[in-house]
Amino acid sequence: MYTLESRVRYSECDKTGKLSLVGAMNYLQDCSSFHSEHIGRGFETLAQEHLAWVLASWQIEVARMPHFNEKITVGTWAYELGGLSASRCFVILDEKGAAVVRADSTWYMVDTKAGKAIRVPESEAAYISDTPRLDMPPMPRHIPATGTPTEAPSITVSQQHLDTNKHVNNAQYVMMAIDALSALGYPFALHRIIVQYRRQAHLDDVIFPQVYQDEAGITVSLDSPEHKAYAIVRLEK
């Protein structure tokens, strides 16, 4: 397992003084990026080979969020690599070694010249760890979005939403979903979040959040003007 030591910064906290959900997701993404650099397969190296890892989906379970100034350890490891996808787990541990956040994720390797997913090349074998998958539910193939949705205010993609791939950063979609719920006055107590990424949104694209609620939680479909989802975010109590 590759690990990253840190301390929760004030700029990463929400209004309660605890690490925000997006802050936690950024830690997970940063840890995987540093892991790639550590084994010599960072994004600059991949860019020279016209390759890029793209996050397809993940599920995150939150036991509690660390508070401001708390020391944390972020860890990640790949437990499956082959075919057209790779699978990677994450943990955020507190000072006592307890897992306060756990996550599972699925990734695709993309040929950036051809613009399509390819088989994971043998060069990525260095990611594989002997650490087994976390004891979490299987990654769902479909996120429920049934009934009549409530539409939240639209969002125009700006520079602050973008990452080095020049499309909306993974965590930003979740921030958009949370902002949509806040705009509509939807309260939620987060235990589990599931995100599936369908299409890439770019600068000046307009996103229309569609909010569906059921007994177990809330689903936000972040749609294009053509009613095709860029990402679907599921928040469960």
Side-chain angles (χ1 to χ4, degrees), residues 6 34 50-51 74 80 99 102-103 137 151 181-182 184-185 188 209 223 236:
S6 190
F34 285 135
H50 306 290
L51 298 173
V74 188
E80 189 172 280
R102 307 189 312 154
E151 185 170 313
L181 297 181
S182 297
L184 296 175
F188 66 92
D223 291 358
E236 294 184 347

Side-chain angles (χ1 to χ4, degrees), residues 3-203:
T3 58
L4 167 67
E5 306 290 331
S6 190
R7 188 188 295 267
V8 178
R9 300 168 177 81
Y10 182 79
S11 59
E12 299 166 340
C13 294
D14 59 17
K15 62 183 179 182
T16 68
K18 295 179 181 180
L19 180 65
S20 68
L21 175 59
V22 171
M25 295 175 71
N26 284 334
Y27 267 119
L28 305 186
Q29 293 186 126
D30 288 344
C31 190
S32 65
S33 297
F34 285 135
H35 184 200
S36 297
E37 297 292 336
H38 178 71
I39 65 171
R41 301 300 294 165
F43 67 85
E44 289 185 353
T45 300
L46 291 180
Q48 293 173 3
E49 301 173 13
H50 306 290
L51 298 173
W53 281 109
V54 175
L55 181 61
S57 61
W58 60 6
Q59 58 173 326
I60 303 170
E61 290 184 350
V62 179
R64 72 171 181 88
M65 282 298 187
H67 54 74
F68 166 66
N69 202 36
E70 185 173 351
K71 291 181 180 179
I72 59 173
T73 300
V74 188
T76 186
W77 65 96
Y79 63 88
E80 189 172 280
L81 196 71
L84 291 174
S85 67
S87 299
R88 176 192 283 275
C89 282
F90 298 86
V91 289
I92 298 180
L93 308 174
D94 64 14
E95 289 186 74
K96 297 180 180 179
V100 295
V101 177
R102 307 189 312 154
D104 190 16
S105 60
T106 303
W107 301 71
Y108 292 107
M109 177 67 83
V110 171
D111 181 327
T112 56
K113 253 188 174 179
K116 64 179 182 179
I118 61 171
R119 294 185 66 84
V120 178
E122 293 183 3
S123 59
E124 310 309 297
Y127 281 107
I128 284 294
S129 167
D130 294 333
T131 307
R133 181 182 182 271
L134 291 169
D135 182 18
M136 297 179 68
M139 192 74 75
R141 292 181 176 273
H142 176 70
I143 296 179
T146 57
T148 303
T150 302
E151 185 170 313
S154 62
I155 302 161
T156 300
V157 176
S158 63
Q159 292 285 352
Q160 67 178 351
H161 297 119
L162 306 181
D163 59 20
T164 57
N165 294 315
K166 297 181 176 59
H167 56 68
V168 173
N169 180 267
N170 300 317
Q172 289 295 321
Y173 287 109
V174 177
M175 190 74 255
M176 291 176 183
I178 293 173
D179 285 346
L181 297 181
S182 297
L184 296 175
Y186 279 72
F188 66 92
L190 177 66
H191 167 65
R192 183 169 180 246
I193 178 171
I194 308 166
V195 188
Q196 291 181 348
Y197 301 97
R198 300 286 183 84
R199 305 171 64 222
Q200 295 176 358
H202 300 86
L203 184 65

